[in-house]
């Protein structure tokens, strides 16, 4: 948004290297934090400030000053006059949705850096050349020309329904510089490795129900640092939801030379996974590994013993025999004895066992 307003207007040089406008903007934000004008809410998984906030007195002052100078308008959706937005009488707008409101109709988007609205009609996104963040989008609800690419998009979250496989592959291939990608919902098969951005650093798969081993494709992503497999809940009736795994296969293999920069791997609620094999030379940079509620997984991979960088291993809500095998004296303890921090918790345990 700062770039769109012209507050960050040019590339600058810093300590002998050329900073992009995005780098400059993050430096400005860090300076505001250092001056205690802005407080850090959360740090992102890739080391940048993810959310921030203000002290209430500072916020009140800023809102008052913004309204005085006609810089920003804050509206409840019930009082919002959409015609004013469409006629450009309001330059900057914050819209507060009530808890029972699902979407906004009739607002025409132009050059916004961030977009997340749930809509009931098609979104024309072909002119959003400066878009950097696009979340909660359903591929079948957007329209973009065949030639268009999101050349500045860095964050994408796709919510998918069955039957949109081609639309997802098309959307991902139009994002050449994306860094963070979240695929949510039924997918069945991943796009090919060359369709992903080479810049991709974080990938989350939620309830994708993949049928083929995803590691064969994902191991080829050169800059992937964070990989998460999570379940998603699908509503099957008014009162019932069912959990969906991100991978429905029984076997998973991380082969030699794969995942060169991967630092964090989360395997969560893979109901059907029985065997996970890690070859020597795979994931040479892995620091943190979490396995949660993979109830059919028979044992920890033997190849973990070769990952000298592994510092933290969490095994949560796994069967007691699986946990017992990793305790000192257990048959699999040798595979993980080099790990500095080991957290183990079985289904029936309330106490977490930590050994270092």
């Amino acid at each position: 948004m700062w770039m769109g307003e012209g507050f960050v207007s040019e590339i600058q040089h810093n300590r002998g290297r050329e900073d992009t406008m995005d780098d400059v903007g993050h430096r400005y934000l860090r300076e505001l934090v250092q001056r205690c004008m802005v407080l850090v809410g959360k740090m992102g998984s890739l080391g940048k400030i993810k959310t921030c906030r203000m002290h209430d007195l500072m916020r009140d002052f800023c809102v008052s000053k913004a309204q005085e100078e006609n810089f920003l308008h804050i509206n409840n959706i019930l009082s919002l006059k959409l015609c004013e937005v469409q006629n450009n009488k309001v330059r900057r707008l914050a819209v507060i949705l009530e808890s029972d409101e699902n979407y906004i109709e009739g607002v025409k988007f132009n050059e916004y850096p961030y977009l997340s609205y749930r809509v009931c009609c098609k979104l024309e996104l072909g002119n959003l050349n400066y878009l950097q963040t696009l979340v909660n989008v359903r591929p079948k609800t957007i329209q973009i020309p065949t030639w268009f690419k999101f050349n500045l998009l860095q964050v994408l979250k796709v919510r998918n329904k069955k039957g949109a496989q081609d639309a997802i592959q098309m959307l991902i291939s139009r994002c050449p510089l994306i860094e963070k990608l979240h695929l949510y919902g039924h997918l069945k098969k991943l796009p090919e490795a060359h369709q992903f951005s080479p810049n991709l650093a974080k990938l989350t798969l939620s309830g994708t129900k993949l049928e083929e081993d995803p590691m064969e494709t994902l191991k080829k992503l050169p800059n992937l640092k964070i990989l998460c497999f999570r379940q998603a809940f699908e509503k099957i009736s008014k009162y019932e939801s069912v959990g969906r795994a991100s991978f429905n296969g029984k076997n998973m293999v991380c082969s030699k030379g794969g995942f060169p920069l991967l630092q964090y791997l989360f395997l969560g609620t893979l109901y059907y996974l029985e065997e996970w094999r890690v070859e020597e030379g795979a994931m040479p940079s892995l620091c943190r590994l979490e396995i949660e509620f993979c109830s059919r997984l028979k044992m920890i991979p033997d190849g973990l013993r070769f990952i000298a960088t592994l510092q933290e291993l969490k095994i949560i809500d796994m069967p007691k025999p699986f946990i017992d095998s990793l305790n000192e004296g257990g048959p699999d303890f040798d595979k993980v004895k080099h790990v500095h921090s080991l957290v183990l918790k079985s289904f029936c345990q309330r106490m977490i066992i930590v050994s270092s």
Side-chain angles (χ1 to χ4, degrees):
M1 281 191 268
W2 287 353
M3 284 186 275
E5 296 291 347
F7 302 152
V8 182
S9 58
E10 60 183 17
I11 294 174
Q12 298 182 11
H13 294 271
N14 181 39
R15 296 179 182 176
R17 72 181 183 91
E18 188 176 77
D19 283 348
T20 65
M21 287 194 292
D22 192 57
D23 295 329
V24 175
H26 281 286
R27 191 163 73 244
Y28 288 172
L29 182 57
R30 289 194 297 271
E31 289 179 6
L32 291 174
V33 171
Q34 291 168 1
R35 295 168 187 241
C36 299
M37 298 176 71
V38 169
L39 308 175
V40 176
K42 294 181 181 179
M43 293 297 294
S45 54
L46 299 181
K48 293 181 179 180
I49 297 174
K50 184 174 184 178
T51 65
C52 60
R53 61 185 189 272
M54 288 181 172
H55 189 278
D56 53 357
L57 294 178
M58 176 66 76
R59 180 187 178 277
D60 290 345
F61 170 76
C62 290
V63 170
S64 174
K65 202 69 176 173
Q67 292 174 341
E68 178 184 321
E69 299 188 5
N70 197 31
F71 182 84
L72 172 70
H73 290 262
I74 300 176
N75 288 84
N76 182 290
I77 187 62
L78 296 177
S79 63
L80 176 64
K81 296 180 180 179
L82 295 180
C83 60
E84 291 184 358
V85 181
Q86 293 170 342
N87 292 333
N88 294 321
K89 292 181 180 179
V90 175
R91 175 63 183 90
R92 308 164 188 89
L93 177 68
V95 180
I96 302 173
L97 292 175
E98 297 298 325
S99 59
D100 59 346
E101 288 158 349
N102 292 324
Y103 52 80
I104 299 174
E105 294 180 62
V107 179
K108 295 180 180 178
F109 302 102
N110 192 6
E111 295 181 351
Y112 284 83
Y114 176 92
L115 180 61
S116 172
Y117 289 147
R118 293 165 68 183
V119 297
C120 62
C121 53
K122 289 282 186 178
L123 274 179
E124 290 277 0
L125 302 184
N127 63 339
L128 296 182
N129 298 303
Y130 299 99
L131 193 65
Q132 296 178 25
T133 299
L134 179 61
V135 300
N136 296 329
V137 65
R138 299 184 186 274
K140 288 191 172 182
T141 66
I142 66 174
Q143 289 182 340
I144 53 179
T146 55
W147 52 266
F148 183 80
K149 288 190 176 183
F150 295 102
N151 286 321
L152 295 181
L153 195 71
Q154 297 179 12
V155 179
L156 174 64
K157 180 177 180 179
V158 180
R159 301 181 68 89
N160 183 42
K161 285 190 175 181
K162 190 174 182 180
Q165 183 84 30
D166 293 341
I168 283 186
Q169 291 182 349
M170 178 274 296
L171 182 58
I172 290 175
S173 66
R174 304 287 184 87
C175 305
L177 298 180
I178 196 168
E179 295 180 357
K180 296 170 69 174
L181 175 63
H182 188 165
L183 299 177
Y184 184 103
H186 192 274
L187 187 58
K188 192 175 181 179
K189 187 179 185 299
L190 283 176
E192 298 296 327
H194 70 272
Q195 293 179 298
F196 289 97
S197 164
N199 291 1
L200 187 62
K202 179 179 180 180
L203 175 63
T204 302
L205 303 171
S206 299
T208 46
K209 300 169 65 175
L210 298 172
E211 296 179 357
E212 299 177 5
D213 183 359
M215 298 307 197
E216 183 62 28
T217 296
L218 301 179
K219 70 178 183 181
K220 302 173 185 177
L221 302 182
N223 288 298
L224 190 64
K225 296 180 176 68
I226 298 172
L227 176 59
C228 302
F229 292 85
R230 301 183 182 277
Q231 74 168 338
F233 289 94
E234 181 179 321
K235 197 169 185 179
I236 57 175
S237 71
K238 185 176 181 180
Y239 303 103
E240 293 181 295
S241 296
V242 62
R244 304 296 188 192
S246 50
F247 173 51
N248 286 348
K250 294 181 179 181
N251 301 292
M252 181 180 283
V253 179
C254 294
S255 56
K256 181 179 180 179
F259 301 100
L261 296 185
L262 191 68
Q263 298 174 10
Y264 173 65
L265 176 62
F266 178 82
L267 304 178
T269 323
L270 299 178
Y271 307 113
Y272 307 102
L273 183 64
E274 297 180 5
E275 182 181 3
W276 175 32
R277 185 158 52 91
V278 175
E279 297 180 355
E280 185 176 359
M283 302 186 291
S285 305
L286 190 67
C287 300
R288 296 173 56 208
L289 170 63
E290 294 188 42
I291 302 175
E292 180 177 307
F293 205 75
C294 299
S295 55
R296 297 185 186 181
L297 186 61
K298 298 174 182 177
M299 64 178 67
I300 206 80
D302 185 69
L304 290 187
R305 69 173 76 243
F306 304 116
I307 305 179
T309 56
L310 189 60
Q311 299 176 9
E312 182 180 331
L313 174 61
K314 289 185 179 181
I315 310 292
I316 307 296
D317 286 339
M318 293 291 285
K320 191 173 184 299
F322 189 98
I323 296 295
D324 291 342
S325 71
L326 294 172
N327 281 314
E328 189 168 359
D332 290 332
F333 178 70
D334 280 349
K335 302 176 184 179
V336 298
K337 65 181 181 181
H338 64 290
V339 180
H340 177 71
S341 176
L342 181 61
V343 178
L344 305 175
K345 183 181 179 183
S346 67
F347 290 133
C348 58
Q349 283 181 312
R350 292 185 179 273
M351 183 71 69
I352 297 179
I353 304 170
V354 181
S355 59
S356 299

